[in-house]
Amino acid sequence: MGKLIMVSSVTYAMKGRELLRDYGIKSSIERTPRTSLHQSCGYSLYVPQRTDEAENILRENGIKVLGRTERREHT
């Protein structure tokens, strides 16, 4: 499982992906999965490595981060 950084809109997800790319951090935009804790059907950034650093960069640059959740691998 990987980490998803939940953001408030698809626009923030797109801006965040571009910002992280500038810092050399790979990410991709995914729909936030529905779980018992998160009923959102919003968007998240999947960041396979450097997740803590990525979240800090997003916050420092005005990207509203709603939290994190686990990415469920498809089986």
Side-chain angles (χ1 to χ4, degrees):
M1 284 196 222
K3 294 286 186 183
L4 291 171
I5 300 173
M6 298 181 292
V7 294
S8 59
S9 70
V10 69
T11 301
Y12 277 128
M14 291 187 299
K15 288 179 181 179
R17 181 182 60 193
E18 297 302 316
L19 179 64
L20 294 177
R21 184 178 4 206
D22 291 344
Y23 282 84
I25 299 174
K26 292 182 180 180
S27 66
S28 60
I29 298 171
E30 297 188 6
R31 293 295 297 228
T32 302
R34 290 179 183 257
T35 67
S36 60
L37 297 175
H38 306 100
Q39 294 303 318
S40 170
C41 57
Y43 289 88
S44 294
L45 288 166
Y46 171 62
V47 183
Q49 298 176 347
R50 300 168 60 188
T51 309
D52 291 336
E53 181 183 359
E55 183 175 341
N56 289 334
I57 289 167
L58 295 172
R59 289 182 188 278
E60 290 169 1
N61 286 276
I63 305 294
K64 185 174 180 182
V65 174
L66 302 178
R68 288 194 201 174
T69 191
E70 292 291 323
R71 179 186 194 212
R72 297 183 187 268
E73 301 298 328
H74 300 287
T75 54

